[in-house]
Amino acid sequence: MSNEIELKFEINDNDIANLKCFLEQWADSDEAEFSAISSVKRRATKLNLTNTYYDTSDYYLRNNHCGLRVRGCEENHQKKFEITLKRDSKSVAGLHERIEFNVNLPNSELDLTLLPHAALPDNCNIAQLQQDLLPLFSTDFKRQTWLISFASSEIEVALDQGEIKSNQKVKIIQEVELELKQGNKQDLLNFALELSRFHLHLFSQSKAARGYLLLKNSPLKSCQFDIKMHQNLTQLLNFWQQNEEYALETNNLNFYQQTLNQISNVLTDKNLSLEPEFTQWQEALLSFNSIKKFAFSELNTRLKLALIANLTLN
């Protein structure tokens, strides 16, 4: 069992090459510094990952805040399999925290009995659940990873490119994940600030969440503004993230402008220590005319990261 802490981002096609170059240079520097004292390779690794997600017909696992998959990993022409169960997820904008259980499998066959009993919902009938589970959707993507030393922490950066498939429908995966392997959240957030120059857009939807949306043919939903957001920064950040992703999906500029103005008003009233990011962000609000350009902008990402840091580290 491990406690997974990661930041998830979307990335544009034309920023990928520059990001990869930056990470390779950083990893090369780390490799030269640490090769004498550590056998851990910090250079990029490339993997082909196939994942099948399981649940019952009435979404028993989903309703109990669990996600279950079997992953096949191809590396050096060898195939390995693993069962993973994630549960009790907490998300603030693109910062995700959850408990994760991983167990190696001899083949691609799902076997719940290999998981610790504590991984599954309380009072779960494991034998019955094993019978009721169905493969619901799959993901197929290439992953490139870099192990980065930053301040007092180690962070794994993963670039994922591929597809989510369900009911003959496809959704593209093109994202960057920063996972804290050891260290602290402050370093994770500060390294994300380093990468914000590559126009990364914080993203709240896991691959599993997007798979369920495809499976049920459900559109993204917007979020209504609530006066309580003046006192609740978590609620405000999630409102911002959900409505930004909705605006990107629907290309609704007026809706997006209204959302950002509501956020600006709340943050002005809260009088948080967010300079200079907040002032620059407010100035940019006056003239933007592209949802994607603003949502993926360095200014937008840096302000969100500052707010997440304010919330999680204070």
Side-chain angles (χ1 to χ4, degrees), residues 109-120:
E109 295 298 315
L110 175 67
D111 185 355
L112 289 183
T113 64
L114 297 176
L115 287 168
H117 196 275
L120 293 159

Side-chain angles (χ1 to χ4, degrees), residues 18-276:
N18 288 336
L19 173 68
K20 289 168 69 171
C21 182
F22 176 86
L23 292 170
E24 284 161 9
Q25 289 176 352
W26 195 302
D28 281 346
S29 176
D30 282 351
E31 186 80 13
E33 182 177 354
F34 290 99
S35 59
I37 59 175
S38 173
S39 61
V40 176
K41 294 296 181 184
R42 296 163 192 276
R43 295 295 301 275
T45 60
K46 297 181 180 180
L47 305 170
N48 293 319
L49 302 177
T50 56
N51 305 271
T52 302
Y53 289 78
Y54 292 84
D55 206 340
T56 64
S57 58
D58 60 354
Y59 307 132
Y60 170 79
L61 290 175
R62 184 73 169 167
N63 293 334
N64 281 276
H65 313 292
C66 295
L68 178 69
R69 72 170 185 234
V70 170
R71 166 168 288 175
C73 174
E74 186 177 331
E75 185 177 11
N76 298 325
H77 306 293
Q78 290 187 327
K79 200 73 177 273
K80 299 178 182 178
F81 296 94
E82 179 183 67
I83 182 173
T84 296
L85 187 139
K86 299 184 182 186
R87 60 176 300 171
D88 303 329
S89 175
K90 296 186 293 182
S91 177
V92 180
L95 178 66
H96 301 258
E97 296 186 53
R98 54 211 158 195
I99 299 171
E100 180 176 284
F101 300 84
N102 296 293
V103 180
N104 292 330
L105 290 171
N107 51 49
S108 62
E109 295 298 315
L110 175 67
D111 185 355
L112 289 183
T113 64
L114 297 176
L115 287 168
H117 196 275
L120 293 159
D122 294 341
N123 302 315
C124 173
N125 184 327
I126 296 177
Q128 186 62 54
L129 179 59
Q130 176 81 42
Q131 291 182 19
D132 293 342
L133 286 172
L134 301 167
L136 298 185
F137 53 89
S138 64
T139 65
D140 186 353
F141 57 92
K142 296 182 184 299
R143 167 168 287 180
Q144 191 165 357
T145 64
W146 297 262
L147 185 62
I148 301 294
S149 293
F150 182 80
S152 60
S153 299
E154 283 197 332
I155 298 164
E156 183 182 80
V157 183
L159 171 65
D160 293 344
Q161 296 174 275
E163 298 176 330
I164 304 171
K165 301 175 185 175
S166 180
N167 286 339
Q168 300 181 326
K169 299 185 290 288
V170 173
K171 202 164 190 66
I172 298 299
I173 296 170
Q174 190 163 286
E175 61 192 37
V176 176
E177 294 179 356
L178 276 60
E179 182 177 349
L180 185 64
K181 290 299 186 180
Q182 62 178 28
N184 59 76
K185 289 182 190 177
Q186 181 68 68
D187 289 345
L188 181 69
L189 292 164
N190 285 342
F191 187 66
L193 287 171
E194 291 279 342
L195 299 188
S196 64
R197 70 190 75 174
F198 301 107
H199 308 114
L200 301 180
H201 173 242
L202 277 159
F203 198 52
S204 67
Q205 301 172 57
S206 67
K207 295 179 181 72
R210 282 171 279 166
Y212 277 100
L213 287 176
L214 268 186
L215 177 69
K216 297 186 280 188
N217 198 28
S218 300
L220 279 178
K221 296 180 180 179
S222 61
C223 180
Q224 294 295 316
F225 183 80
D226 191 320
I227 193 67
K228 295 177 183 177
M229 294 176 191
H230 282 270
Q231 285 76 44
N232 191 318
L233 187 54
T234 298
Q235 196 173 347
L236 179 70
L237 274 163
N238 288 333
F239 163 81
W240 183 352
Q241 192 64 42
Q242 185 172 338
N243 281 1
E244 189 164 82
E245 291 171 15
Y246 174 83
L248 284 163
E249 186 85 6
T250 60
N251 196 31
N252 190 331
L253 181 61
N254 289 335
F255 172 82
Y256 187 44
Q257 289 173 323
Q258 180 184 31
T259 294
L260 295 181
N261 287 333
Q262 289 169 321
I263 292 162
S264 179
N265 291 337
V266 172
L267 292 179
T268 299
D269 290 344
K270 290 183 76 67
N271 196 30
L272 298 171
S273 300
L274 298 170
E275 298 300 336

